[in-house]
Amino acid sequence: MKRILINIIVFFSILFFPWWVAVFTGVVAVLLQRNFYEIMAWGVFYDLLYGTASIHILGFSFFFTAGAFILFYGAEFLKTRTRLDFRH
Amino acid sequence: MRERYTRIIKMVLTRGILIAALLFALLYVPGAREPLARTGAALAAPFWGAYQYVRDTVAGMTVAFSEKKELAAENKALRGLLSAAHLRLIQTNVLMKENEELKQLLNRHETSGGTLGVVLSRPQYSPYDTFMIDIGRQHAILVGHTVFAGEALVGIVDAVYEKTARVKLFSSPGTETEVLLGLESTPALARGLGGGAFQVKLPRDIAIREGDAVFHSVLSNTLVGIVREIKSKEANPLQTILFNAPLNIWETRFVIVTPQFLFSFEEITSNR
């Protein structure tokens, strides 16, 4: 139930709030929820919704997707090394 | 310990390969991005529409609670503005008619007509400087059509779906647009800084003033921005000119999409 609610909050933050709010919500979601794989799907969703192929660096245009992957694996790594493991 | 490290390495490799495969598919497999983007837009559009409806309804309801006196004063002020605007409209209509006749005499015709679209998501929602509008393929919108907000040219249609379309602003970071500045219509290349802001670098001896209009080089007489600030240093032979779109992009609610193309089909698709 909690996981579903977190996903709904992330979804609405992507649709109705500035991008930095969506990023903050994603970070909090990854910290609060263990193995929050959905954040990577939301990163892809964000880039597909708002991104355009003409904005790129060396042909790569999925910046939020890449950020979501880094956030997820970085957070999971940090959780195993620190007390930031809410075990939910 | 050794087994643990082996397990970790296998897990990292497996996940890394999956991630790389997904990104490769999205970036390089032709036709992979479009259906996924279309699905995302179809998923988001009803929520944006509902939000607009609720916002308009609430705004309508709160008006009823305003003080009667305030409303009367506002009404009077608006009537005064309306009279002045009406006079200016008459003058403008006369000038526009004369302009049209002169252009026809010179055998240059302007493309007319456009489709009104409602902005569903504002540019500040994403750092890509794009927004979604509620008209799409059903309304004969095509990739490359030009988009106006008020009298200003703000961008082009970047992707079209069945009932929605994505507009890419000329002020998108890194985007370059050919413009004409000032009274002398000095040609220049404007670089987008995001959020309706642009930057142009010109030689210092070219006279540009704050408040000068900036027009698009292809669609002449189409306003793109107003010069806001000019930065120049003695040691630098170039001056940096900053200009903004003439309206607040982040508050834009309606746009007009016109069936005009600034770029050829090859130029648009070469960026995909």
Side-chain angles (χ1 to χ4, degrees):
Chain A
M1 186 64 193
K2 181 184 170 188
R3 199 179 188 109
I4 294 171
L5 186 62
I6 289 174
N7 274 297
I8 289 172
I9 291 171
V10 173
F11 175 64
F12 280 106
S13 71
I14 289 172
L15 289 191
F16 298 118
F17 291 97
W19 65 271
W20 50 270
V21 173
V23 169
F24 177 76
T25 309
V27 169
V28 171
V30 166
L31 291 176
L32 283 180
Q33 183 65 43
R34 204 176 191 193
N35 290 327
F36 191 62
Y37 294 106
E38 295 93 313
I39 193 65
M40 295 183 276
W42 291 125
V44 175
F45 174 72
Y46 193 99
D47 280 327
L48 290 172
L49 192 64
Y50 293 119
T52 166
S54 54
I55 300 173
H56 62 89
I57 297 175
L58 299 176
F60 186 79
S61 56
F62 284 85
F63 301 111
F64 277 78
T65 304
F69 280 113
I70 293 168
L71 172 65
F72 174 76
Y73 286 108
E76 290 301 311
F77 175 77
L78 276 177
K79 282 181 195 177
T80 60
R81 294 289 186 274
T82 65
R83 287 183 292 168
L84 284 173
D85 186 357
F86 296 93
R87 295 197 177 269
H88 291 127
Chain B
M1 180 71 91
R2 199 171 171 178
E3 280 176 13
R4 184 166 169 255
Y5 279 125
T6 308
R7 194 164 43 88
I8 289 172
I9 288 168
K10 272 187 190 168
M11 187 175 66
V12 168
L13 274 177
T14 311
R15 290 181 183 180
I17 288 168
L18 280 172
I19 292 165
L22 170 67
L23 288 176
F24 181 85
L26 284 171
L27 286 169
Y28 298 113
V29 172
R33 184 176 184 148
E34 172 71 18
L36 291 172
R38 198 175 335 130
T39 306
L43 186 64
F47 292 95
W48 282 325
Y51 171 73
Q52 296 285 356
Y53 176 78
V54 168
R55 200 172 85 155
D56 290 342
T57 306
V58 168
M61 283 164 63
T62 53
V63 164
F65 290 97
S66 296
E67 289 286 340
K68 192 177 173 185
K69 227 184 235 182
E70 284 174 8
L71 281 173
E74 191 183 352
N75 190 288
K76 190 177 174 187
L78 285 171
R79 280 182 188 275
L81 283 175
L82 192 60
S83 298
H86 186 67
L87 281 171
R88 288 182 72 174
L89 184 62
I90 292 172
Q91 291 172 331
T92 306
N93 282 341
V94 168
L95 286 170
M96 278 177 64
K97 188 165 181 292
E98 187 183 330
N99 185 272
E100 185 62 41
E101 285 168 1
L102 286 170
K103 280 189 177 171
Q104 283 182 0
L105 279 173
L106 290 167
N107 213 27
R108 287 165 62 193
H109 300 278
E110 283 182 320
T111 307
S112 60
T115 310
L116 180 71
V118 174
V119 175
L120 296 175
S121 73
R122 304 292 158 71
Q124 73 261 37
Y125 288 0
S126 92
Y128 295 122
D129 246 30
T130 59
F131 56 78
M132 301 291 285
I133 56 178
D134 71 339
I135 48 177
R137 211 169 281 129
Q138 280 185 356
H139 308 85
I141 304 300
L142 298 175
V143 172
H145 278 175
T146 48
V147 180
F148 290 79
E151 294 297 320
L153 176 64
V154 294
I156 60 170
V157 175
D158 178 71
V160 180
Y161 309 115
E162 199 57 34
K163 295 179 185 176
T164 57
R166 187 174 58 229
V167 175
K168 182 185 156 193
L169 297 176
F170 289 128
S171 60
S172 288
T175 302
E176 292 181 335
T177 310
E178 292 178 0
V179 297
L180 302 170
L181 276 96
L183 296 170
E184 303 295 322
S185 296
T186 308
L189 195 62
R191 189 175 177 82
L193 300 176
F198 299 82
Q199 175 185 283
V200 169
K201 286 191 188 284
L202 284 175
R204 266 180 50 209
D205 53 0
I206 294 179
I208 303 290
R209 297 171 305 177
E210 286 180 15
D212 277 352
V214 183
F215 298 99
H216 198 277
S217 63
V218 175
L219 294 177
S220 57
N221 298 329
T222 306
L223 189 65
V224 174
I226 305 288
V227 175
R228 176 172 55 86
E229 191 181 345
I230 299 168
K231 296 179 182 175
S232 70
K233 288 181 184 171
E234 285 292 325
N236 196 338
L238 297 176
Q239 57 181 333
T240 301
I241 298 158
L242 302 173
F243 69 90
N244 279 24
L247 70 165
N248 190 346
I249 291 287
W250 292 5
E251 296 297 325
T252 304
R253 289 198 60 195
F254 301 99
V255 294
I256 301 278
V257 181
T258 59
Q260 292 169 292
F261 293 94
L262 295 176
F263 308 107
S264 66
F265 183 73
E266 287 77 24
E267 280 174 311
I268 296 167
T269 54
S270 66
N271 284 328
R272 296 182 172 271

